[in-house]
Amino acid sequence: MLDLKYIRENTDTVRKMLTDRQTEADLDKLIDLDTRWRENVTNTQVLRARQNEVSQEIAQLKKEKQDAMETIAKMRDLSQDIKERTAKANKDKVDIDAILLTIPNIPEASTPFGTGEADNIEIKTWGDKPSFDFELKPHWEIAETLDIVDFQRGAKVAGSNFVVFKGLGARLERALIQFMLDLHTTQHGYTEISPPFLANRPAMTGTGQIPKLEADMYRCDRDEENPDTDLFLIPTAEVPVTNLFAGEILSADDLPIYYTAYTPCFRREAGAYGKDTRGLQRIHQFDKVEMVKFTTPETSYAEHETLLENAERVLQVLELPYRVVQHCTVELSFAAAKCYDIEVWAPAGEKFLEVSSCSNFEAFQARRANIRYRPEAGAKPEFIHTLNASGTALPRVVIALLETYQNPDGTVRVPAVLQPYMGGLKLIGFGCDS
RNA sequence: GGUGGGAUGGCUGAGUGGACGAAAGCGGCGGUCUUGAAAACCGUUGUGGCGCAAGUCACCGUGGGUUCGAAUCCUACUCCCACCGCCA
């Protein structure tokens, strides 16, 4: 979230941001509440000071064995008054915080203004789109023919848009996970994390999924009395990994911290029904390797660029052409200040598919999750900056692999870098399931 | 699932309703001493809110309550530890 003080002093900037993002938030109410709250706090404080003072006097009287009944009686009204004012202030503060949680991050200066996907800016392209001298099959057809993905039975056990990877399909998933984790840990300096696949409400709020995207998540273990103990299936490893340091004060020597994690991701895709539902493009459960960085404010934008490089490297090594686009204002996700998408080329569908979102959240998540660091010993704690990028989401990489490396006979070549992870296998053919 | 114990500053750990934002120790920082370091000694050292500031207020797991006054009493909850049962 944004700093309340910042909003107070830069209300116009915040208002413009909301317009640019085409988002609604109750900014006027926030300002009103804030004004009232501060006035109330200031007044109550004076009364409290008086109360503390007299309490000392009472203690003194008692110590001297004098009668304090009269003084105590006088304090009763004051005490009640303070209680009522405090209750009102607390209520306003709760309302203020609730609104604060709905205000998105301010886009970083380089973010282009835009009103739709078309206004995203293509930053670069890598690799040449391959050409073929035979008719390409879409990935779902290849997968079904090779019997490596079962689209029907996934729906039977869980529901539509759940899939089952089978035989070499399952092996391919495992190989990709292993390959990506190895790449990031041995080449890019990340520490591997295997986090919980469920996260509670405060964690979901910390990274910004709640309140805005609550309906997009699977919730289990609901407890009306204790909402903080509600558990959600994670929509991304970003949630448990970023929240690892929630409420902590790190030392400057600890930073930057680079973590990478494989997790399945669960998304209800509420409101996305009927959109790209064929095949592996939009499924409710998918595998992903994520990278998360914790940095100082000074270095976060340099770290953002290397983070992007680390994610790009996955596709480069797999020799899959891609492009990088920068989000425009309206496409930028709630918590992000700046975001690049990496989109892999899917030749059969002749389109680019998003396989990684590479975001700098600046202090937005850190402020929500209260993650701070001490710039130097004895200095005041400051919020750190958090960043993350998929490195990468698997199903769409599988789409690109199947479509790019398909042969006319329906078999699929295994990219060189994955062969060691596939037991030396060079070709996904028919009738071999290991 | 059952029983018992616990939650206090960066860490360990005291704390009888008014002396407690909190003992003591460790650690950190600054200094004295030293060619340098160690040791020793001295000093200093939590977080946040409101306020231009002086200052002031809050915070002892979280939320309620009792009281003129709560780290301390009551209550609900959360988490942690130990043992028993069950289980991958």
PDB file of all heavy atoms in Angstrom, chain A residues 3 11 20 144 166 210 265 312 343 345 398 407 417 421:
ATOM      1  N   ASP A   3       1.958   5.017   1.411  1.00  0.00           N
ATOM      2  CA  ASP A   3       2.109   5.684   2.684  1.00  0.00           C
ATOM      3  C   ASP A   3       0.976   6.705   2.835  1.00  0.00           C
ATOM      4  O   ASP A   3       0.761   7.533   1.948  1.00  0.00           O
ATOM      5  CB  ASP A   3       3.480   6.381   2.685  1.00  0.00           C
ATOM      6  CG  ASP A   3       3.765   7.044   4.014  1.00  0.00           C
ATOM      7  OD1 ASP A   3       3.007   6.794   4.971  1.00  0.00           O
ATOM      8  OD2 ASP A   3       4.739   7.803   4.090  1.00  0.00           O
ATOM      9  N   THR A  11      -2.252  14.183  -2.930  1.00  0.00           N
ATOM     10  CA  THR A  11      -3.568  13.671  -3.276  1.00  0.00           C
ATOM     11  C   THR A  11      -3.833  13.730  -4.779  1.00  0.00           C
ATOM     12  O   THR A  11      -4.420  12.812  -5.353  1.00  0.00           O
ATOM     13  CB  THR A  11      -4.656  14.462  -2.531  1.00  0.00           C
ATOM     14  OG1 THR A  11      -4.260  14.567  -1.158  1.00  0.00           O
ATOM     15  CG2 THR A  11      -5.990  13.743  -2.598  1.00  0.00           C
ATOM     16  N   ASP A  20      -5.599   7.054 -14.457  1.00  0.00           N
ATOM     17  CA  ASP A  20      -4.746   6.376 -15.450  1.00  0.00           C
ATOM     18  C   ASP A  20      -4.940   4.869 -15.425  1.00  0.00           C
ATOM     19  O   ASP A  20      -4.865   4.194 -16.447  1.00  0.00           O
ATOM     20  CB  ASP A  20      -3.265   6.694 -15.181  1.00  0.00           C
ATOM     21  CG  ASP A  20      -2.918   8.128 -15.558  1.00  0.00           C
ATOM     22  OD1 ASP A  20      -3.788   8.801 -16.161  1.00  0.00           O
ATOM     23  OD2 ASP A  20      -1.801   8.574 -15.257  1.00  0.00           O
ATOM     24  N   GLU A 144      -2.551 -34.815 -27.095  1.00  0.00           N
ATOM     25  CA  GLU A 144      -3.510 -35.920 -27.031  1.00  0.00           C
ATOM     26  C   GLU A 144      -3.036 -37.112 -27.854  1.00  0.00           C
ATOM     27  O   GLU A 144      -3.133 -38.263 -27.434  1.00  0.00           O
ATOM     28  CB  GLU A 144      -4.894 -35.453 -27.499  1.00  0.00           C
ATOM     29  CG  GLU A 144      -5.673 -34.809 -26.358  1.00  0.00           C
ATOM     30  CD  GLU A 144      -7.065 -34.346 -26.762  1.00  0.00           C
ATOM     31  OE1 GLU A 144      -7.272 -34.036 -27.955  1.00  0.00           O
ATOM     32  OE2 GLU A 144      -7.924 -34.280 -25.871  1.00  0.00           O
ATOM     33  N   LYS A 166       0.642 -37.040 -18.177  1.00  0.00           N
ATOM     34  CA  LYS A 166       0.779 -38.486 -18.115  1.00  0.00           C
ATOM     35  C   LYS A 166       2.072 -38.917 -18.808  1.00  0.00           C
ATOM     36  O   LYS A 166       2.470 -38.315 -19.813  1.00  0.00           O
ATOM     37  CB  LYS A 166      -0.422 -39.114 -18.817  1.00  0.00           C
ATOM     38  CG  LYS A 166      -0.457 -40.620 -18.842  1.00  0.00           C
ATOM     39  CD  LYS A 166      -1.632 -41.075 -19.709  1.00  0.00           C
ATOM     40  CE  LYS A 166      -1.598 -42.582 -19.892  1.00  0.00           C
ATOM     41  NZ  LYS A 166      -2.550 -43.014 -20.946  1.00  0.00           N
ATOM     42  N   ILE A 210      -5.277  -9.900  -1.689  1.00  0.00           N
ATOM     43  CA  ILE A 210      -6.471  -9.507  -0.941  1.00  0.00           C
ATOM     44  C   ILE A 210      -6.348  -8.025  -0.611  1.00  0.00           C
ATOM     45  O   ILE A 210      -5.262  -7.581  -0.268  1.00  0.00           O
ATOM     46  CB  ILE A 210      -6.599 -10.352   0.349  1.00  0.00           C
ATOM     47  CG1 ILE A 210      -7.003 -11.778  -0.024  1.00  0.00           C
ATOM     48  CG2 ILE A 210      -7.599  -9.761   1.322  1.00  0.00           C
ATOM     49  CD1 ILE A 210      -7.132 -12.699   1.182  1.00  0.00           C
ATOM     50  N   CYS A 265       0.417 -23.626  -8.747  1.00  0.00           N
ATOM     51  CA  CYS A 265      -0.338 -22.399  -8.542  1.00  0.00           C
ATOM     52  C   CYS A 265      -1.804 -22.676  -8.836  1.00  0.00           C
ATOM     53  O   CYS A 265      -2.113 -23.401  -9.779  1.00  0.00           O
ATOM     54  CB  CYS A 265       0.163 -21.298  -9.472  1.00  0.00           C
ATOM     55  SG  CYS A 265       1.910 -20.944  -9.273  1.00  0.00           S
ATOM     56  N   GLU A 312      14.454 -14.350 -18.797  1.00  0.00           N
ATOM     57  CA  GLU A 312      14.649 -14.517 -20.246  1.00  0.00           C
ATOM     58  C   GLU A 312      15.556 -15.701 -20.542  1.00  0.00           C
ATOM     59  O   GLU A 312      15.372 -16.415 -21.530  1.00  0.00           O
ATOM     60  CB  GLU A 312      15.306 -13.263 -20.837  1.00  0.00           C
ATOM     61  CG  GLU A 312      14.393 -12.073 -21.004  1.00  0.00           C
ATOM     62  CD  GLU A 312      15.160 -10.911 -21.616  1.00  0.00           C
ATOM     63  OE1 GLU A 312      15.620 -11.023 -22.767  1.00  0.00           O
ATOM     64  OE2 GLU A 312      15.325  -9.884 -20.925  1.00  0.00           O
ATOM     65  N   GLU A 343       6.793 -12.939 -23.259  1.00  0.00           N
ATOM     66  CA  GLU A 343       5.793 -13.703 -24.008  1.00  0.00           C
ATOM     67  C   GLU A 343       6.493 -14.627 -24.992  1.00  0.00           C
ATOM     68  O   GLU A 343       7.245 -14.180 -25.854  1.00  0.00           O
ATOM     69  CB  GLU A 343       4.855 -12.748 -24.753  1.00  0.00           C
ATOM     70  CG  GLU A 343       4.116 -11.797 -23.810  1.00  0.00           C
ATOM     71  CD  GLU A 343       3.194 -10.829 -24.561  1.00  0.00           C
ATOM     72  OE1 GLU A 343       3.414 -10.602 -25.763  1.00  0.00           O
ATOM     73  OE2 GLU A 343       2.253 -10.323 -23.934  1.00  0.00           O
ATOM     74  N   TRP A 345       6.727 -17.390 -28.086  1.00  0.00           N
ATOM     75  CA  TRP A 345       6.043 -17.540 -29.378  1.00  0.00           C
ATOM     76  C   TRP A 345       5.477 -18.948 -29.504  1.00  0.00           C
ATOM     77  O   TRP A 345       6.197 -19.937 -29.346  1.00  0.00           O
ATOM     78  CB  TRP A 345       7.020 -17.250 -30.521  1.00  0.00           C
ATOM     79  CG  TRP A 345       6.428 -17.448 -31.883  1.00  0.00           C
ATOM     80  CD1 TRP A 345       6.776 -18.379 -32.809  1.00  0.00           C
ATOM     81  CD2 TRP A 345       5.372 -16.692 -32.478  1.00  0.00           C
ATOM     82  NE1 TRP A 345       6.022 -18.256 -33.937  1.00  0.00           N
ATOM     83  CE2 TRP A 345       5.138 -17.222 -33.768  1.00  0.00           C
ATOM     84  CE3 TRP A 345       4.587 -15.611 -32.029  1.00  0.00           C
ATOM     85  CZ2 TRP A 345       4.163 -16.716 -34.628  1.00  0.00           C
ATOM     86  CZ3 TRP A 345       3.615 -15.113 -32.889  1.00  0.00           C
ATOM     87  CH2 TRP A 345       3.404 -15.659 -34.172  1.00  0.00           C
ATOM     88  N   VAL A 398       5.294 -25.336 -22.197  1.00  0.00           N
ATOM     89  CA  VAL A 398       5.024 -26.646 -22.808  1.00  0.00           C
ATOM     90  C   VAL A 398       4.309 -26.457 -24.149  1.00  0.00           C
ATOM     91  O   VAL A 398       4.637 -27.125 -25.137  1.00  0.00           O
ATOM     92  CB  VAL A 398       4.191 -27.535 -21.854  1.00  0.00           C
ATOM     93  CG1 VAL A 398       3.695 -28.785 -22.583  1.00  0.00           C
ATOM     94  CG2 VAL A 398       5.031 -27.921 -20.638  1.00  0.00           C
ATOM     95  N   ASN A 407       7.408 -32.534 -35.137  1.00  0.00           N
ATOM     96  CA  ASN A 407       7.793 -33.076 -36.433  1.00  0.00           C
ATOM     97  C   ASN A 407       6.531 -33.383 -37.240  1.00  0.00           C
ATOM     98  O   ASN A 407       5.440 -33.510 -36.658  1.00  0.00           O
ATOM     99  CB  ASN A 407       8.600 -34.367 -36.255  1.00  0.00           C
ATOM    100  CG  ASN A 407       9.934 -34.088 -35.568  1.00  0.00           C
ATOM    101  OD1 ASN A 407      10.628 -33.128 -35.910  1.00  0.00           O
ATOM    102  ND2 ASN A 407      10.279 -34.919 -34.591  1.00  0.00           N
ATOM    103  N   VAL A 417      18.972 -28.976 -23.813  1.00  0.00           N
ATOM    104  CA  VAL A 417      19.188 -28.695 -22.393  1.00  0.00           C
ATOM    105  C   VAL A 417      18.287 -29.550 -21.493  1.00  0.00           C
ATOM    106  O   VAL A 417      18.598 -29.792 -20.334  1.00  0.00           O
ATOM    107  CB  VAL A 417      18.992 -27.184 -22.107  1.00  0.00           C
ATOM    108  CG1 VAL A 417      17.519 -26.813 -22.192  1.00  0.00           C
ATOM    109  CG2 VAL A 417      19.584 -26.798 -20.775  1.00  0.00           C
ATOM    110  N   TYR A 421      17.612 -34.171 -18.280  1.00  0.00           N
ATOM    111  CA  TYR A 421      16.539 -34.274 -17.291  1.00  0.00           C
ATOM    112  C   TYR A 421      15.454 -35.258 -17.725  1.00  0.00           C
ATOM    113  O   TYR A 421      14.532 -35.550 -16.982  1.00  0.00           O
ATOM    114  CB  TYR A 421      15.893 -32.896 -17.065  1.00  0.00           C
ATOM    115  CG  TYR A 421      16.818 -31.893 -16.429  1.00  0.00           C
ATOM    116  CD1 TYR A 421      17.452 -30.924 -17.192  1.00  0.00           C
ATOM    117  CD2 TYR A 421      17.073 -31.930 -15.060  1.00  0.00           C
ATOM    118  CE1 TYR A 421      18.307 -29.995 -16.611  1.00  0.00           C
ATOM    119  CE2 TYR A 421      17.922 -31.008 -14.468  1.00  0.00           C
ATOM    120  CZ  TYR A 421      18.536 -30.043 -15.246  1.00  0.00           C
ATOM    121  OH  TYR A 421      19.379 -29.134 -14.661  1.00  0.00           O
TER     122      TYR A 421
END
